[in-house]
């Protein structure tokens, strides 16, 4: 491409973006609020429903302790360990549930696909940083807590990428 052609192309691109709303956010004062649910499994269609792959949520009342989520993760990140819980459920005789190490998790969602009891979904919670490695390990009790989401800016994800809502 000639120099003049390059300049015209650059100008053209710049002018086109004048009308595009600025995307940069002043985090942490401004935070993302993703529209819709996180990644989960649809029992009717048998496939995953697209959604943000943030921190998991574990529904204790559905978890049988079958360990399939842990097996699914074994060849990927070994982020899931099965641990004892104090609760007693008729459907979870061993009283074990997954705990997830977010220092290892790659947010692939295979554990969600693998759970036959729809006990494990992902959420829109993306604020997981911590000062210690141990704080990145979420116990079954922590995984059961519904995340509080930031309210500032709506972001809609579609096949063209992220846009302001
Ligand atoms: S999302 Fe995380 S915990 Fe689940 S299978 Fe993938 S790496 Fe393992
Ligand atoms: S979360 Fe699902 S796959 Fe994992 S132990 Fe519980 S029931 Fe089994």
């Amino acid at each position: 491409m000639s120099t003049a052609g390059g300049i015209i192309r650059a100008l053209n691109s710049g002018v086109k973006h004048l009308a595009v709303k600025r995307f940069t956010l002043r985090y942490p004062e401004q935070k993302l609020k993703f529209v819709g649910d996180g990644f989960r499994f649809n029992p009717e269609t048998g496939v995953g429903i697209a959604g943000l792959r943030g921190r998991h949520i574990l529904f204790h009342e559905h978890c049988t302790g079958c360990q399939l989520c842990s097996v699914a993760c074994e060849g990927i990140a070994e982020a899931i360990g099965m641990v004892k819980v104090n609760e007693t459920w008729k459907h979870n005789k061993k009283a074990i549930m997954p705990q997830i190490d977010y220092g290892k998790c790659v947010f692939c969602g295979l554990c969600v696909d693998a759970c036959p009891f729809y006990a494990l979904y992902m959420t829109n919670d993306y604020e997981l940083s911590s000062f210690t490695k141990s704080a990145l390990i979420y116990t079954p009790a922590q995984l059961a807590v519904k995340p509080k989401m930031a309210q500032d800016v709506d972001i809609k994800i579609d096949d063209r990428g992220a846009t302001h809502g």
Side-chain angles (χ1 to χ4, degrees):
M1 186 186 297
S2 69
T3 309
I7 291 171
I8 290 167
R9 198 167 164 193
L11 283 173
N12 190 29
S13 172
V15 169
K16 264 198 286 185
H17 283 84
L18 281 178
V20 176
K21 197 170 175 182
R22 196 175 62 162
F23 190 73
T24 308
L25 299 178
R26 293 180 179 208
Y27 182 85
E29 289 81 17
Q30 280 188 311
K31 294 180 185 175
L32 301 178
K33 184 181 119 192
F34 287 95
V35 176
D37 294 315
F39 179 67
R40 59 201 197 284
F41 189 76
N42 184 345
E44 282 163 21
T45 60
V47 292
I49 302 170
L52 193 91
R53 294 181 186 182
R55 197 263 283 171
H56 299 73
I57 187 163
L58 175 68
F59 298 97
H60 287 205
E61 66 276 24
H62 295 308
C63 179
T64 63
C66 70
Q67 308 183 48
L68 286 178
C69 52
S70 170
V71 171
C73 189
E74 259 170 30
I76 299 164
E78 299 197 3
I80 299 184
M82 299 303 296
V83 294
K84 279 271 178 202
V85 289
N86 293 328
E87 298 155 284
T88 46
W89 300 94
K90 263 194 283 180
H91 59 266
N92 191 335
K93 292 200 171 53
K94 287 190 262 177
I96 53 170
M97 289 186 188
Q99 97 176 353
I100 300 180
D101 183 349
Y102 287 105
K104 295 178 178 173
C105 175
V106 296
F107 301 91
C108 65
L110 281 186
C111 51
V112 174
D113 289 338
C115 178
F117 303 102
Y118 320 117
L120 195 62
Y121 291 167
M122 294 174 103
T123 71
N124 291 329
D125 185 8
Y126 56 89
E127 292 190 300
L128 299 170
S129 59
S130 92
F131 287 107
T132 62
K133 283 186 182 177
S134 58
L136 292 171
I137 299 172
Y138 279 55
T139 63
Q142 286 171 292
L143 290 172
V145 177
K146 207 173 170 197
K148 282 197 198 115
M149 290 312 301
Q151 298 297 316
D152 292 1
V153 181
D154 284 355
I155 298 291
K156 193 169 179 56
I157 303 273
D158 60 23
D159 52 8
R160 292 165 301 155
T163 54
H164 285 273

